């Protein structure tokens, strides 16, 4: 490998740091219509009457659109492979309002000022209904969030709108109750993780226009370009051939933009008026009407025998999907399937779940995608088990963790072909000096320092479901075009895919031009989610390069008038091993422009029957003030097994960023609702995300395994890195003062109150 596993700078780095116009709002013309949404003030209500006459008199207003102007056809905004497991429960605009902030009307005008004025002049008369706000009471409640008859579930996910169920199901092996009954040590606790916002720098935004062929063109900050096309076609009941979707650069996504949050609204305006239109969500809109992490309450029972072998794990997850079911059926599965398999000596496991509708902002995809919540619960329970047994939580894990070569029954029966979790634990333990710092040290000033630990696993794409493809061509002068359908959202996938291609073709990075996503020209890719790009799209790159090399050699054989078998391609020229004949790639590129019938073009697709998990160990060192309960993070070490890191610098940045987000979830971030369902956490003043000053020192290392099914031995890294901070920090609090915080975030008030309760 000459370029893979090297710290190559991002291919778009110069454009980004010099402020080139690369984002959606940069591309949209300044004279396009401005689109805004009039939002419901009620958590549950029916629109009785809308008076838009005064708003339409405002100079510059082009239209005010309501449910009467939209198709009565249900769809889902979840960007997932067809058939979508998320229920079809949305309308573009609906008569029924299901949360405070739900879209009641869309206003379009020539200026921001005109639209803002018109928003105040639209008068809506509501029939206010009783909302369902407590997700613990949602299942089989008399209040139905989705009573409509045209609600539809395309997949057998245990959904029933007449029971407020978005999804339900179970999985297991062995008799959990019997095994737990025989265990010497037992922990049974309930853990609660609240909704969290992705808080990406670039808010949701979309620009739409009609082209000269009468097709709807959509330029959007999205992770799921091809899914956007399908979702819009379904929502507007129009053929996909009439829609083109283009992804420019993305200013962060973290899963938020795997949901079609904004695209339907400017599309509606453009289809109605024929004019270009754009919508730019404010930060407040992104906070109150987007797609945060699913709130979950997770009950865990686990037990160990006298020797400390964990024999059984029982998990029940109750997930709050909110007003709509985007990603509800799929996120919940990860809460069990990517936490239970961390322990490789189980005799039995059980995983049961319900996903319920409520009258709050609908949830969606967020980095970690359900595994984050489940790992907090299971890892916290393991830490409590260690305390009950009187053993070091690291030692307990070393005795029970999954090892390479084991079959993971709770992970769809897959085998751990590549697993360096044991080496990750050993290295993390060394980095943080666990032997000397565990469990805690009294600093003599009313403060105590302690350490905590957690393990995590994730996946690499969705096995046997998602597909990625790429296309490559040889241009004149012999340089390459690499056309991809995966969305680079700042993670650097354009760079790592080019690195892999350059290594396969034995050329320089400068010889490859990466072309971003356009549904008219890019090969199909499911999009950038489920930690799939490096593993799934990367393998499509490898396969495409192999096909293209064969075509280059075949073309050279024709020009040199010799057999393909005697030719060798070194990246610059093709040389005959039996004679002195040779031809450069540059010459081939130029010669095929004339009198040629064989295009030097290749495209291949890849879908994997397995999803090899990356593994990680995180350890936190905190300082806890016993007077106030305040927790300060001092040091965080992370050791990750992502197979072969394709670009170590980008992998490290991914890890550092994910850990920072995990620290925010653990210590700061909290969505708070009023008794009437209003979201109080509508800005960064109310919704605290950590700054650089709040995350302490973050140190990252890699323990590489080799994944035989991945490109160059690689697995994913994008999501796993967010999963360990919350249980590791909770464990550090437990080791410091004996307090067990089972609801995030871990605030000073919670720690202080629990300390006083213990006294």
């Amino acid at each position: 490998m000459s370029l893979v596993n090297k710290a190559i700078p991002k291919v778009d780095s110069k454009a980004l740091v010099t402020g080139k116009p690369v984002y959606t709002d940069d591309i949209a013309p300044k004279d396009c219509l401005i689109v805004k949404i009039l939002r419901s003030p009620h958590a549950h209500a029916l629109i009785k009457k809308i008076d838009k006459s005064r708003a339409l008199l405002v100079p510059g207003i082009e239209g005010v659109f309501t449910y009467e102007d939209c198709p009565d056809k249900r769809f889902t905004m979840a960007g997932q492979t067809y058939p979508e497991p998320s229920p079809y429960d949305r309308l573009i605009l609906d008569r029924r309002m299901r949360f405070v902030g739900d879209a009641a009307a869309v206003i379009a005008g020539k200026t921001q000022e005109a639209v803002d004025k018109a928003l105040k002049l639209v008068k809506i008369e509501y029939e206010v209904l009783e909302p369902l706000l407590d997700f613990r009471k949602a299942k089989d409640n008399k209040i139905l969030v989705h009573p409509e008859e045209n609600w539809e579930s395309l997949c057998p996910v245990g959904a029933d709108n007449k029971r407020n169920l978005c999804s339900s199901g179970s999985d297991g092996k062995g008799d959990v109750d019997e095994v737990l009954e025989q265990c010497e040590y037992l922990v049974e606790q309930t853990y609660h993780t609240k909704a969290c916002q992705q808080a990406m720098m670039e808010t949701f935004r979309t620009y739409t226009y009609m082209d000269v062929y009468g097709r709807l063109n959509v330029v959007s900050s999205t992770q799921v370009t091809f899914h956007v096309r399908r979702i819009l076609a379904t929502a507007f009941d129009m053929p996909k051939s009439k829609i083109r979707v283009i992804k420019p650069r993305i200013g962060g996504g973290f899963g938020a933009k795997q949901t079609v949050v904004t695209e339907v609204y400017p599309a509606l305006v453009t289809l109605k008026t024929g004019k270009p239109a754009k919508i730019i969500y404010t930060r407040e809109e992104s906070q109150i009407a987007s797609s945060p992490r699913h709130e979950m309450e997770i009950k865990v029972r686990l037990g160990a025998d006298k020797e400390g072998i964990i024999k059984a794990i029982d998990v029940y997850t109750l997930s709050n999907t909110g007003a709509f079911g985007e990603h509800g059926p799929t996120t919940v599965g990860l809460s069990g399937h990517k936490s239970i398999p961390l322990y490789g000596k189980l005799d039995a496991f059980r995983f049961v779940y319900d996903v319920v509708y409520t009258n709050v902002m609908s949830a969606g995809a967020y980095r970690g995608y359900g595994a984050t919540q489940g790992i907090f619960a299971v890892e916290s329970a393991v830490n409590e088990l260690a305390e009950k047994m009187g053993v070091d939580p690291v030692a307990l894990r070393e005795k029970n963790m999954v090892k390479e070569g084991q079959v993971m029954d709770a992970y769809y029966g897959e085998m751990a072909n590549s697993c360096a979790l044991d080496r990750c634990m050993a290295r993390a333990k060394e980095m943080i000096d666990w032997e000397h710092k565990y469990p805690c040290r009294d600093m003599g000033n009313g403060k105590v320092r302690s350490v905590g630990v957690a393990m995590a696993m994730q996946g690499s794409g969705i096995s046997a479901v998602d597909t990625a493809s790429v296309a490559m061509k040889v241009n004149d002068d012999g340089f390459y075009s690499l056309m991809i359908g995966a969305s680079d959202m700042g993670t650097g996938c354009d760079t790592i895919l080019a690195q892999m291609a350059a290594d396969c073709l034995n050329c320089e990075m400068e010889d490859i031009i990466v072309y971003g996503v356009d549904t008219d020209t890019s090969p199909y890719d499911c999009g950038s989610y489920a930690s799939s790009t490096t593993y799934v799209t990367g393998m499509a790159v490898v396969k495409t390069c192999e096909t293209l090399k064969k075509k280059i050699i075949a073309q050279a054989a024709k020009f040199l008038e010799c057999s393909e078998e005697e030719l060798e391609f070194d990246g610059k020229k093709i040389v005959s091993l039996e004679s002195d004949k040779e031809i450069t790639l540059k010459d081939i590129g130029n010669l095929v422009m004339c009198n040629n019938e064989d295009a030097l073009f290749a495209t291949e697709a890849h879908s994997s029957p397995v999803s090899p998990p990356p593994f990680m160990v995180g350890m936190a060192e905190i300082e806890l003030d016993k007077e106030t309960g305040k927790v300060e993070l001092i040091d965080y070490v992370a050791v990750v097994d992502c197979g072969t890191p394709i670009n170590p610098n980008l992998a490290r940045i991914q890890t550092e960023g994910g850990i920072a987000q995990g620290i925010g979830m653990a210590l700061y971030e909290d969505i708070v609702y009023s008794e009437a369902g209003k979201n109080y956490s509508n800005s960064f003043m109310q919704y605290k995300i950590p700054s650089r000053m709040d995350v302490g020192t973050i140190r990252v290392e890699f323990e590489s395994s080799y994944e035989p099914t991945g490109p160059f031995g690689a697995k994913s890294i994008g999501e796993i890195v967010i999963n360990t901070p919350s249980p590791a920090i909770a464990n550090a609090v437990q080791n410091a003062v004996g307090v067990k915080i089972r609801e995030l975030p871990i605030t000073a008030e919670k720690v202080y109150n629990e300390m006083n309760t213990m006294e």
Side-chain angles (χ1 to χ4, degrees):
M1 298 183 293
S2 59
L3 290 167
V4 165
N5 201 225
K6 300 295 189 299
I8 305 295
K10 290 175 67 175
V11 294
D12 58 350
S13 56
K14 289 182 181 178
L16 296 176
V17 300
T18 55
K20 299 296 183 185
V22 295
Y23 298 100
T24 300
D25 198 27
D26 299 327
I27 296 169
K30 301 306 177 187
D31 60 349
C32 67
L33 297 180
I34 305 298
V35 179
K36 295 288 286 183
I37 296 170
L38 180 61
R39 301 188 179 278
S40 168
H42 306 293
H44 198 192
L46 289 174
I47 295 175
K48 294 175 66 177
K49 183 181 178 183
I50 299 181
D51 182 0
K52 51 189 179 181
S53 58
R54 293 176 64 201
L56 289 170
L57 294 175
V58 175
I61 291 298
E62 291 284 330
V64 178
F65 306 101
T66 69
Y67 69 92
E68 296 172 328
D69 303 299
C70 301
D72 184 25
K73 186 178 180 184
R74 299 279 165 184
F75 66 101
T76 176
M77 286 186 176
Q80 296 175 284
T81 294
Y82 185 85
E84 298 108 320
S86 298
Y88 277 25
D89 54 14
R90 286 263 192 184
L91 295 177
I92 298 167
L93 292 170
D94 204 336
R95 183 171 172 249
R96 181 180 292 269
M97 301 290 100
R98 293 179 173 83
F99 69 98
V100 176
D102 204 355
V106 170
I107 293 92
K110 294 178 180 178
T111 66
Q112 183 74 51
E113 294 74 19
V115 173
D116 288 342
K117 185 175 182 180
L119 279 168
K120 300 173 183 176
L121 296 176
V122 177
K123 300 302 177 186
I124 302 181
E125 183 182 341
Y126 293 99
E127 177 188 342
V128 180
L129 306 173
E130 183 182 356
L132 176 55
L133 300 174
D134 187 345
F135 77 120
R136 298 174 184 87
K137 299 177 181 178
K139 184 177 176 180
D140 294 321
N141 198 293
K142 63 181 177 62
I143 301 170
L144 292 180
V145 179
H146 283 278
E148 62 270 10
E149 294 301 320
N150 61 349
W151 177 97
E152 185 182 8
S153 179
L154 274 65
C155 294
V157 294
D160 187 346
N161 61 317
K162 299 304 169 66
R163 300 182 63 199
N164 285 324
L165 278 177
C166 173
S167 179
S168 61
S170 63
D171 187 20
K173 176 188 176 184
D175 191 328
V176 166
D177 297 320
E178 182 181 331
V179 175
L180 287 174
E181 196 172 304
Q182 296 171 0
C183 286
E184 183 74 15
Y185 303 97
L186 183 69
V187 167
E188 183 173 353
Q189 293 295 345
T190 299
Y191 303 87
H192 182 205
T193 62
K194 297 186 179 181
C196 294
Q197 284 287 359
Q198 297 88 344
M200 58 280 168
M201 289 179 67
E202 182 197 34
T203 61
F204 300 94
R205 53 198 60 203
T206 302
Y207 154 55
T208 57
Y209 63 96
M210 302 300 291
D211 65 21
V212 294
Y213 304 105
R215 301 169 73 222
L216 175 67
N217 282 235
V218 180
V219 180
S220 192
S221 182
T222 179
Q223 298 171 224
V224 287
T225 316
F226 282 89
H227 292 336
V228 170
R229 182 174 67 179
R230 183 184 67 247
I231 292 166
L232 290 177
T234 302
F236 289 102
D237 201 15
M238 59 192 292
K240 293 178 190 172
S241 60
K242 294 293 185 182
I243 302 172
R244 176 190 184 191
V245 183
I246 304 162
K247 178 211 73 74
R249 300 238 60 79
I250 303 177
F254 310 119
K257 293 168 184 175
Q258 196 190 335
T259 302
V260 181
V261 172
T262 53
E263 284 83 347
V264 294
Y265 304 117
L268 173 67
V269 171
T270 294
L271 289 171
K272 291 291 184 181
T273 66
K275 298 181 179 181
K278 74 172 180 180
I279 189 167
I280 307 289
Y281 266 26
T282 63
R283 181 58 62 183
E284 180 180 4
E285 287 179 299
S286 291
Q287 290 293 116
I288 68 167
S290 55
S291 55
R293 188 185 296 285
H294 287 75
E295 176 184 22
M296 291 186 187
E297 184 176 83
I298 302 173
K299 297 179 181 178
V300 181
R301 290 196 304 156
L302 54 80
D305 63 15
K306 290 181 181 180
E307 286 71 40
I309 302 301
I310 298 174
K311 306 297 285 186
I313 300 178
D314 186 10
V315 171
Y316 170 70
T317 301
L318 179 65
S319 178
N320 184 5
T321 193
F324 301 98
E326 279 94 16
H327 303 279
T330 43
T331 50
V332 71
L334 278 64
S335 68
H337 290 307
K338 294 186 180 175
S339 58
I340 299 171
L342 283 165
Y343 297 91
K345 298 182 179 180
L346 302 179
D347 289 340
F349 79 90
R350 179 167 57 202
F351 174 41
V352 181
Y353 56 86
D354 289 312
V355 184
V356 293
Y357 285 112
T358 58
N359 289 117
V360 298
M361 167 177 47
S362 59
Y366 185 4
R367 191 180 207 164
Y369 202 79
T372 314
Q373 298 95 307
I375 286 170
F376 169 66
V378 171
E379 287 297 279
S380 293
V382 170
N383 286 327
E384 294 192 40
L385 178 67
E387 182 184 77
K388 182 171 283 193
M389 296 172 62
V391 302
D392 184 328
V394 168
L396 181 62
R397 286 176 170 84
E398 288 173 334
K399 187 177 287 189
N400 287 281
M401 68 173 63
V402 65
K403 300 287 181 66
E404 189 164 290
Q406 285 186 321
V407 173
M408 300 173 285
D409 293 315
Y411 188 60
Y412 321 110
E414 285 192 24
M415 179 179 283
N417 289 318
S418 56
C419 178
L421 188 55
D422 51 353
R423 288 189 277 122
C424 290
M425 183 66 75
R427 182 64 186 126
K429 187 177 175 181
E430 181 184 339
M431 287 171 68
I432 210 163
D433 194 15
W434 181 271
E435 296 287 357
H436 296 100
K437 293 180 179 178
Y438 170 78
C440 63
R441 297 166 292 151
D442 194 316
M443 306 305 290
N445 57 355
K447 297 180 180 180
V448 59
R449 287 198 177 187
S450 62
V451 287
V453 62
M455 305 188 305
M457 61 179 282
Q458 196 75 35
S460 301
I462 304 174
S463 58
V465 174
D466 282 337
T467 295
S469 51
V470 301
M472 289 195 75
K473 66 175 180 176
V474 179
N475 299 294
D476 43 322
D477 271 5
F479 68 96
Y480 301 96
S481 292
L482 172 61
M483 290 154 279
I484 65 173
S487 296
D488 192 327
M489 48 182 162
T491 52
C493 82
D494 288 2
T495 305
I496 63 165
L497 295 176
Q499 278 181 260
M500 287 189 261
D503 238 336
C504 289
L505 295 166
N506 200 20
C507 66
E508 302 298 324
M509 286 281 288
E510 293 74 17
D511 295 329
I512 297 178
I513 308 301
V514 185
Y515 188 75
V517 197
D518 179 337
T519 56
D520 273 9
T521 58
S522 300
Y524 177 81
D525 191 292
C526 59
S528 297
Y529 62 91
S531 301
S532 63
T533 306
T534 299
Y535 177 74
V536 183
T537 310
M539 188 54 79
V541 168
V542 172
K543 290 164 71 173
T544 300
C545 288
E546 290 303 313
T547 300
L548 187 59
K549 279 199 294 186
K550 290 177 182 177
K551 290 192 172 186
I552 292 169
I553 290 172
Q555 191 65 255
K558 290 182 180 179
F559 289 136
L560 297 176
E561 298 180 331
C562 61
S563 69
E564 296 176 29
E565 289 73 21
E566 67 184 78
L567 296 180
E568 187 175 80
F569 178 41
D570 67 2
K572 293 293 183 183
K573 60 184 181 297
I574 298 88
V575 180
S576 170
L577 300 177
E578 297 181 6
S579 68
D580 58 356
K581 292 181 178 179
E582 65 176 49
I583 186 171
T584 65
L585 182 63
K586 178 179 179 179
D587 286 340
I588 291 176
N590 289 322
L591 286 169
V592 296
M593 292 191 299
C594 180
N595 193 27
N596 174 58
E597 295 179 356
D598 296 314
L600 290 183
F601 176 91
T603 181
E604 296 287 348
H606 183 67
S607 182
S608 176
V610 294
S611 177
F615 296 94
M616 175 182 179
V617 171
M619 290 185 179
E621 181 179 5
I622 66 164
E623 184 170 270
L624 192 151
D625 189 330
K626 292 190 286 186
E627 294 277 330
T628 64
K630 182 183 178 183
V631 176
E632 181 183 354
L633 186 63
I634 303 299
D635 190 17
Y636 198 94
V637 303
V639 185
V640 186
D641 163 23
C642 60
T644 302
I646 301 298
N647 187 315
N649 274 9
L650 295 183
R652 179 168 283 104
I653 291 167
Q654 281 271 68
T655 307
E656 292 171 350
I659 289 169
Q661 286 182 310
I663 292 166
M665 179 178 176
L667 294 175
Y668 302 105
E669 299 176 39
D670 194 5
I671 293 180
V672 179
Y673 286 96
S674 72
E675 292 183 358
K678 178 179 172 60
N679 187 344
Y680 285 145
S681 310
N682 58 3
S683 77
F684 287 156
M685 293 294 289
Q686 288 76 29
Y687 185 82
K688 167 69 174 172
I689 61 173
S691 71
R692 182 64 189 86
M693 303 297 291
D694 300 313
V695 298
T697 301
I698 297 175
R699 295 184 286 146
V700 175
E701 290 192 11
F702 300 98
E703 282 290 340
S704 297
S705 61
Y706 185 87
E707 174 50 47
T709 66
F712 298 92
K715 298 185 287 189
S716 75
I717 197 170
E719 292 183 275
I720 187 175
V721 292
I722 200 172
N723 292 336
T724 58
S726 52
I729 292 170
N731 182 225
V733 172
Q734 173 186 331
N735 292 334
V737 290
V739 165
K740 301 171 185 67
I741 304 298
R742 302 185 181 104
E743 179 186 74
L744 299 179
I746 303 167
T747 61
E749 291 84 354
K750 289 176 185 174
V751 175
Y752 180 83
N753 289 337
E754 287 294 324
M755 287 169 62
N756 287 339
T757 301
M758 288 172 61
E759 293 174 0

